[in-house]
Amino acid sequence: MVATGYTEQNYGEVTVLSGTNRGAYPFGNSLLVRGTDATLVIDPSLSLVEAAPPADLVLISHAHEDHVAGLGNYDVPVHVHDADLAALQSREVMVAGFGLPADAVADADRALRDKFHVQGWPDAQGFTNGTEFDLGGRTVTVVHLPGHTAGHSGFLIEPDGFLFVADIDLSSFGPYYGDLSSSLVDFEASMRRCRDIEARWYGTAHQKGVIDGSAEFRRRLDDFAGVVEKRDATLLEFLGEPRNIDDIAEHRLVYRPHVEGAHVTPVERRTASQHLDRLIGKSLVAEVEPGRYRAT
């Protein structure tokens, strides 16, 4: 594994702990936020495993392994959205949420335990949209942004004007909505919500880091959201003749052909199903016979 470690960049009183390889998975970007009364960490990543800065509490944007790998270094209150709380409290629940084939579950559980140090945090507490954490002269407010997971959340830090959008990460890969609790409809609504929030800085959990200014953020967000439209277009072209879900999954809307793993087919199937639903709703695709679909 690549050596862990992070670099620090300050944005007001918000310190971004930029992970190895610019926070590319399996690493990530964490935040350290200081007030006069308390300090918190957001999303302690794999890069914090060997050297975690002290904090009085930890906030988790969502219960995925790359956002909690450094959590074992903290013996302080931990908070996540209510909808992701069970997955944070139990590694078994987290793995189940990936929707993997039964014969892949044990390997996934082992990877979360050994590579990401996920142990389950049964004492973790929930929060909801709008929950405010007052650090003394600085507040961190929960912005629920579901879609990636049901509980996926961002955090607005004031008075610095820093919005952490977590895995609305602006990468060229595009939005990911392939877990059991994921939702394309919710993801698109969350992107619209982000677009309407004025901030000075917008922080992402992975490679893109921090975006300066709302105009540039919205431009990049539009490009990110455009990947969904490209997947629609790919699917419509493929449905020039009747196809079923297995055909679409094999054709792939999400992963490139060289990507392998037990997660690929389940993610492709769930992604295809969500795109089919929206295209049928727009009368662009019809079910021409049971389980087979064609562009209209």
Side-chain angles (χ1 to χ4, degrees):
M1 180 184 293
V2 179
T4 58
Y6 59 84
T7 58
E8 297 186 7
Q9 291 91 34
N10 294 316
Y11 300 86
E13 291 300 317
V14 178
T15 301
V16 177
L17 311 176
S18 298
T20 304
N21 293 342
R22 295 170 49 236
Y25 185 91
F27 299 98
N29 300 321
S30 307
L31 266 59
L32 180 67
V33 187
R34 299 180 180 90
T36 58
D37 299 330
T39 298
L40 65 76
V41 163
I42 296 173
D43 283 3
S45 75
L46 197 60
S47 295
L48 272 62
V49 168
E50 293 182 359
D56 300 295
L57 70 157
V58 176
L59 304 183
I60 303 298
S61 64
H62 63 291
H64 274 169
E65 69 280 5
D66 51 321
H67 297 260
V68 303
L71 189 50
N73 289 338
Y74 292 98
D75 185 17
V76 299
V78 178
H79 303 259
V80 71
H81 192 277
D82 287 343
D84 276 19
L85 181 57
L88 184 61
Q89 291 175 330
S90 163
R91 188 175 69 229
E92 181 181 4
V93 175
M94 186 184 291
V95 172
F98 300 154
L100 298 171
D103 60 1
V105 169
D107 284 344
D109 183 76
R110 191 176 304 111
L112 262 63
R113 182 194 67 202
D114 296 344
K115 183 175 181 179
F116 292 96
H117 315 284
V118 177
Q119 58 192 31
W121 291 272
D123 294 331
Q125 305 169 52
F127 55 58
T128 59
N129 181 62
T131 298
E132 182 181 285
F133 297 87
D134 188 345
L135 306 180
R138 184 155 283 99
T139 59
V140 180
T141 303
V142 174
V143 182
H144 188 206
L145 301 171
H148 181 64
T149 68
H152 181 272
S153 297
F155 302 100
L156 180 61
I157 304 163
E158 296 288 11
D160 308 270
F162 191 108
L163 178 65
F164 183 65
V165 294
D167 272 3
I168 300 179
D169 61 14
L170 310 182
S171 68
S172 59
F173 180 85
Y176 174 92
Y177 35 90
D179 286 359
L180 291 180
S181 75
S182 299
S183 165
L184 172 53
V185 171
D186 287 348
F187 207 127
E188 291 193 307
S190 292
M191 288 189 287
R192 291 192 295 270
R193 185 176 189 191
C194 286
R195 206 176 192 285
D196 291 339
I197 297 175
E198 290 290 339
R200 180 176 179 183
W201 295 295
Y202 299 80
T204 69
H206 294 290
Q207 296 100 312
K208 299 304 178 181
V210 176
I211 311 305
D212 191 347
S214 58
E216 178 64 12
F217 172 73
R218 288 167 182 154
R219 183 189 70 78
R220 296 195 188 198
L221 184 63
D222 289 345
D223 289 344
F224 182 69
V227 174
V228 176
E229 301 298 330
K230 291 177 183 176
R231 291 171 184 163
D232 275 347
T234 298
L235 180 53
L236 282 171
E237 182 178 2
F238 187 60
L239 294 180
E241 59 183 80
R243 314 276 191 177
N244 61 29
I245 288 286
D246 289 335
D247 296 329
I248 300 169
E250 185 176 353
H251 187 65
R252 299 199 178 186
L253 299 178
V254 179
Y255 295 108
R256 294 180 179 178
H258 71 275
V259 177
E260 298 180 350
H263 65 291
V264 171
T265 296
V267 169
E268 292 287 353
R269 287 178 60 88
R270 284 189 289 271
T271 301
S273 178
Q274 295 190 68
H275 279 269
L276 281 173
D277 287 345
R278 78 195 240 119
L279 293 174
I280 290 170
K282 294 178 178 181
S283 299
L284 296 174
V285 167
E287 188 173 14
V288 293
E289 55 186 275
R292 293 180 68 82
Y293 305 88
R294 183 172 185 169
T296 57

